[in-house]
Amino acid sequence: MDFDSTFTKVEALDVLGEISLIGRPDRDDVLNQIKVITDRGMSGEISLAESLRLRLKLLNAHRDHLPALVETLMGKISDSFQRNKSFLTENADRIYVVSSGFREFIVPIVTALGIKEDHVFANTFEFDEAGNITGCDCNNPLSTDKGKVKLIRDMKLDGDVYVIGDGYTDYEIREAGLANKFYAFTENVVRPKVIEKADSISPSLDDFLFENKLSRSQSYPKSRIKVLLLENVHPVAVQLFEQEGFNVEIRKGALDEDELIEAIQGVHILGIRSKTQVTRRVIDSASKLMAIGAFCIGTNQIDLEACTEKGIAVFNAPYSNTRSVVELAIGEIIMLIRNIVPKSNLMHKGVWDKSAKNSFEVRGKKLGLIGYGNIGTQLSVVAEALGMEVYFYDVVDKLALGNARKCKSLDELLAVSDIISLHTDGRKENKGLISYREFGMMKNGVIFLNLSRGHIVDIPALVDAIERGKVAGAGIDVFPYEPKTNQEEFINDLRNLPNVILTPHIGGSTEEAQENIGNFVPGKLLEYINNGSTYGSVNFPELQLPLLKGSHRLLHIHANVPGILAQMNNIFGKYHINIQGQYLKTTEQIGYVISDIAKNYSDEVVQELKNIDNTIKFRLLY
């Protein structure tokens, strides 16, 4: 193993420069020179000997700087090395650290993670009488070009040899025929000229251990989890997945069915907003898909039944943009009932129309809410604070907040309301919920809003109601067909109608809401991928699991038929496995069993669990 930018996240001599050059006015310039020299040496552009000589000359370092350097490096050990300390300790007899760095700072770091001191091969500093670092031991082969090759050849190692490192000098060992494979380590730095020479790329030590079927701290390397994010989800979501080490691909717009089928190959986590339709055909083609995140409230764009059948958990953001939608609704109600939009349009044409005609206050008006979920209830509270009378209708029995009154039927609500606002879900049964008949039952001059789902309102019927004056003003944020990207023209019969506010599906599109969603949905997905928890899933049995400690977690998703748990426990009994915790929850379609078991078990156990009839998916976590 290499040390700089492999065992640690940094190049130690660069850090030493940051310490030794404190107080120098040209510090930043010198540090930049050192970094450039380091990169050129690691990429093979200049010789190792030249790189060392130039850097040591610039450092102006002293023996007294080394304790601070070691302390800093202790906090810069690569994350995957820290996670796999037990592997390093258990296999210390077979692990060597070979570096062009210096023993004075390498030995304290690597021995803290179990590496043997006599298995560390590196340069040593030379000091003058005052303790200044003047150079290195020139008799050490590691101070010369191809020094690692010379050293490994002299070591005459038995058995297979694997080299893990980020630099060209690490590749030279493989080039000389002294190693079976060279793994380019990219957790901390990516050097294209090194990668192109590598037999394999290891984004972390976990990847190396996984590929070679060695003991490790994680059941799978995070870099092998592929995440596809569509429709401009908030950057904080991208950051959260990348921080976890996942392989993230971003696409700005929505994809049609064929495009999504092509893009979803090899994807484990899919993130979408409201435009992308995840059909059964898409689900059937996604052989590796484990979870879907809807970065919005609704999930009607996802075939939940198909996802459940395939053992794919779906999560959404039921609360994160509620306030944003409510504020837009309140703003539009006031703008429409005051007839502000036509007056503003006239002002832009130079027409001064100062008049109170058809301009009203919201105080005392009757607001009818169709749908009384998270958004409907919050809108109810805010509207009541503005002095409005609130009525609501919902197919599900809901507790009224404040002085809101529940209507027995949709017809009753339509007849009583001065203002009507839609906040229903997107189920197929709601298509065309508001059409010619429903508009005919409304008061003359009603204000009408739809900030829920486009297919709920019959657009020709709405156009007719506006043209006849039945609807005095409308605010529409959602449409039966919406452009896939900002470059596509929006075409709809509502364009150019008077006192109509048209917005491009932005009810939840505020910076605050999108950031909240960007944090919330990845949080649920990561809990599921890393821990197995399904709390908040819209299609899975909901389980909030404890953190995994000291055991292996077996996650078994199966069709909800009798006897699965008994079969699993029979297998555990057959192999004398101690169950440290077990959790089961079912829905009508599927069952979800989580078993935390002692670490010592044979591979046959996993295979037998996978082979149980009606198994949909099986995962192993540790």
Side-chain angles (χ1 to χ4, degrees):
M1 295 173 175
D2 187 28
F3 179 78
D4 292 291
S5 295
T6 298
F7 207 100
T8 60
K9 301 176 182 179
V10 293
E11 293 288 323
L13 291 186
D14 293 356
V15 178
L16 180 57
E18 293 174 4
I19 297 169
S20 65
L21 297 169
I22 290 176
R24 286 262 300 263
D26 60 345
R27 179 173 181 262
D28 290 343
D29 181 57
V30 175
L31 288 175
N32 187 57
Q33 291 182 52
I34 292 172
K35 185 179 185 307
V36 170
I37 294 168
T38 299
D39 290 340
R40 292 182 66 196
M42 290 297 100
S43 298
E45 293 180 27
I46 60 175
S47 69
L48 171 66
E50 181 71 0
S51 172
L52 275 177
R53 184 186 67 79
L54 291 173
R55 284 184 287 169
L56 289 175
K57 184 177 180 181
L58 289 167
L59 280 173
N60 192 32
H62 190 276
R63 189 192 304 272
D64 292 343
H65 293 134
L66 296 180
L69 172 62
V70 171
E71 183 179 355
T72 301
L73 293 178
M74 280 293 187
K76 299 290 184 179
I77 297 173
S78 296
D79 294 339
S80 63
F81 276 76
Q82 292 192 72
R83 283 196 298 270
N84 290 286
K85 180 180 178 180
S86 60
F87 168 80
L88 300 175
T89 302
E90 292 165 6
N91 295 277
D93 289 337
R94 298 190 291 157
I95 297 174
Y96 297 84
V97 172
V98 179
S99 171
S100 302
F102 292 82
R103 286 183 62 86
E104 285 84 351
F105 56 75
I106 294 177
V107 168
I109 306 301
V110 301
T111 53
L113 265 69
I115 303 295
K116 293 183 174 182
E117 183 173 349
D118 61 355
H119 279 212
V120 177
F121 296 87
N123 284 299
T124 53
F125 286 123
E126 288 187 341
F127 305 89
D128 63 17
E129 292 181 358
N132 297 304
I133 296 174
T134 57
C136 61
D137 179 8
C138 296
N139 294 320
N140 188 327
L142 291 171
S143 68
T144 63
D145 294 339
K146 296 191 181 294
K148 291 185 179 181
V149 173
K150 298 172 188 174
L151 177 74
I152 299 298
R153 184 174 285 123
D154 291 343
M155 290 174 68
K156 298 180 180 178
L157 297 170
D158 293 327
D160 297 331
V161 176
Y162 298 89
V163 179
I164 307 170
D166 65 285
Y168 194 84
T169 57
D170 303 305
Y171 160 68
E172 288 179 335
I173 300 171
R174 172 75 168 94
E175 182 186 37
L178 298 173
N180 299 68
K181 277 189 175 182
F182 165 57
Y183 291 81
F185 190 79
T186 60
E187 182 173 335
N188 306 308
V189 64
V190 177
R191 308 188 196 277
K193 291 185 178 180
V194 176
I195 288 175
E196 67 183 23
K197 298 289 187 181
D199 297 294
S200 186
I201 299 171
S202 286
S204 67
L205 183 58
D206 304 296
D207 287 83
F208 170 80
L209 299 177
F210 181 84
E211 182 173 325
N212 290 285
K213 299 181 179 179
L214 298 169
S215 64
R216 54 196 180 274
S217 65
Q218 295 182 338
S219 49
Y220 60 90
K222 298 294 181 70
S223 62
R224 295 175 185 247
I225 297 293
K226 185 175 181 181
V227 181
L228 175 61
L229 301 177
L230 307 179
E231 302 184 63
N232 282 326
V233 302
H234 196 277
V236 71
V238 180
Q239 181 182 355
L240 288 170
F241 285 122
E242 289 181 340
Q243 283 177 349
E244 193 68 20
F246 292 169
N247 178 8
V248 182
E249 180 184 352
I250 308 164
R251 302 213 186 177
K252 291 184 177 180
L255 300 179
D256 63 29
E257 188 177 54
D258 288 335
E259 290 171 331
L260 185 54
I261 287 173
E262 181 180 353
I264 209 169
Q265 301 308 308
V267 169
H268 300 89
I269 300 173
L270 174 65
I272 62 169
R273 292 175 71 182
S274 55
K275 292 181 183 177
T276 301
Q277 300 296 309
V278 185
T279 64
R280 178 175 289 275
R281 185 165 163 252
V282 171
I283 296 301
D284 287 342
S285 69
S287 59
K288 293 190 176 181
L289 193 62
M290 299 163 62
I292 298 175
F295 287 72
C296 52
I297 294 175
T299 56
N300 60 290
Q301 71 277 36
I302 303 168
D303 191 326
L304 295 179
E305 184 178 349
C307 288
T308 305
E309 290 173 5
K310 294 289 186 178
I312 299 166
V314 180
F315 300 87
N316 67 338
Y319 314 109
S320 300
N321 65 357
T322 300
R323 180 68 185 193
S324 297
V325 178
V326 168
E327 289 188 4
L328 180 62
I330 289 292
E332 290 193 352
I333 288 170
I334 294 172
M335 294 282 283
L336 292 167
I337 205 167
R338 289 289 299 272
N339 211 29
I340 296 296
V341 176
K343 291 184 183 297
S344 176
N345 291 338
L346 288 173
M347 288 289 286
H348 281 283
K349 295 177 181 179
V351 178
W352 184 271
D353 180 23
K354 181 175 170 62
S355 169
K357 185 179 180 181
N358 295 323
S359 181
F360 305 95
E361 292 182 354
V362 296
R363 182 176 53 176
K365 302 300 183 293
K366 295 179 174 64
L367 171 64
L369 301 174
I370 303 176
Y372 203 61
N374 298 320
I375 294 174
T377 52
Q378 189 168 146
L379 179 55
S380 170
V381 172
V382 177
E384 193 170 311
L386 291 173
M388 302 176 74
E389 295 181 26
V390 179
Y391 296 80
F392 70 91
Y393 172 71
D394 199 302
V395 293
V396 178
D397 191 25
K398 296 289 181 71
L399 176 68
L401 299 182
N403 295 314
R405 306 170 201 179
K406 181 178 180 180
C407 294
K408 295 180 181 178
S409 67
L410 177 60
D411 290 356
E412 180 186 347
L413 181 135
L414 297 175
V416 76
S417 302
D418 302 307
I419 303 161
I420 294 173
S421 188
L422 279 170
H423 301 287
T424 67
D425 61 40
R427 70 186 71 180
K428 294 177 182 179
E429 293 80 5
N430 285 335
K431 183 177 182 180
L433 179 68
I434 306 298
S435 190
Y436 290 97
R437 175 186 174 277
E438 287 70 31
F439 282 115
M441 301 186 69
M442 297 178 191
K443 290 182 178 180
N444 290 329
V446 70
I447 300 298
F448 180 80
L449 276 74
N450 182 16
L451 281 71
S452 55
R453 294 292 181 274
H455 66 269
I456 294 173
V457 177
D458 184 343
I459 296 298
L462 174 57
V463 171
D464 175 70
I466 294 170
E467 290 176 341
R468 290 189 296 107
K470 169 66 76 169
V471 172
I476 309 298
D477 186 51
V478 290
F479 306 88
Y481 175 79
E482 298 177 357
K484 293 180 182 177
T485 68
N486 290 343
Q487 286 68 48
E488 182 181 344
E489 182 183 0
F490 168 68
I491 298 174
N492 195 283
D493 291 340
L494 291 169
R495 286 170 54 174
N496 301 315
L497 291 177
N499 204 24
V500 174
I501 299 175
L502 301 177
T503 49
H505 205 146
I506 57 169
S509 295
T510 61
E511 288 292 339
E512 294 90 344
Q514 292 307 306
E515 184 172 357
N516 288 339
I517 293 171
N519 277 294
F520 183 85
V521 176
K524 292 298 180 184
L525 291 167
L526 291 173
E527 280 185 0
Y528 176 62
I529 297 298
N530 293 335
N531 194 44
S533 292
T534 53
Y535 187 75
S537 173
V538 298
N539 70 320
F540 254 49
E542 289 191 80
L543 280 171
Q544 185 70 58
L545 300 172
L547 293 176
L548 182 60
K549 293 181 180 179
S551 59
H552 286 189
R553 177 163 289 172
L554 311 180
L555 312 174
H556 194 275
I557 304 166
H558 54 269
N560 187 12
V561 296
I564 299 292
L565 183 60
Q567 291 183 64
M568 293 179 65
N569 287 335
N570 284 338
I571 293 170
F572 294 144
K574 172 183 174 182
Y575 289 94
H576 306 289
I577 292 172
N578 182 39
I579 299 175
Q580 299 177 344
Q582 196 166 54
Y583 315 88
L584 165 66
K585 201 163 187 180
T586 62
T587 64
E588 195 173 310
Q589 295 85 18
I590 62 170
Y592 187 35
V593 177
I594 296 90
S595 303
D596 293 347
I597 66 172
K599 295 180 179 180
N600 298 321
Y601 56 89
S602 65
D603 293 340
E604 287 80 3
V605 173
V606 171
Q607 195 55 52
E608 287 197 31
L609 291 170
K610 289 181 179 180
N611 289 340
I612 292 175
D613 288 342
N614 296 296
T615 297
I616 297 173
K617 266 188 171 61
F618 177 87
R619 284 202 295 145
L620 171 63
L621 295 177
Y622 55 84

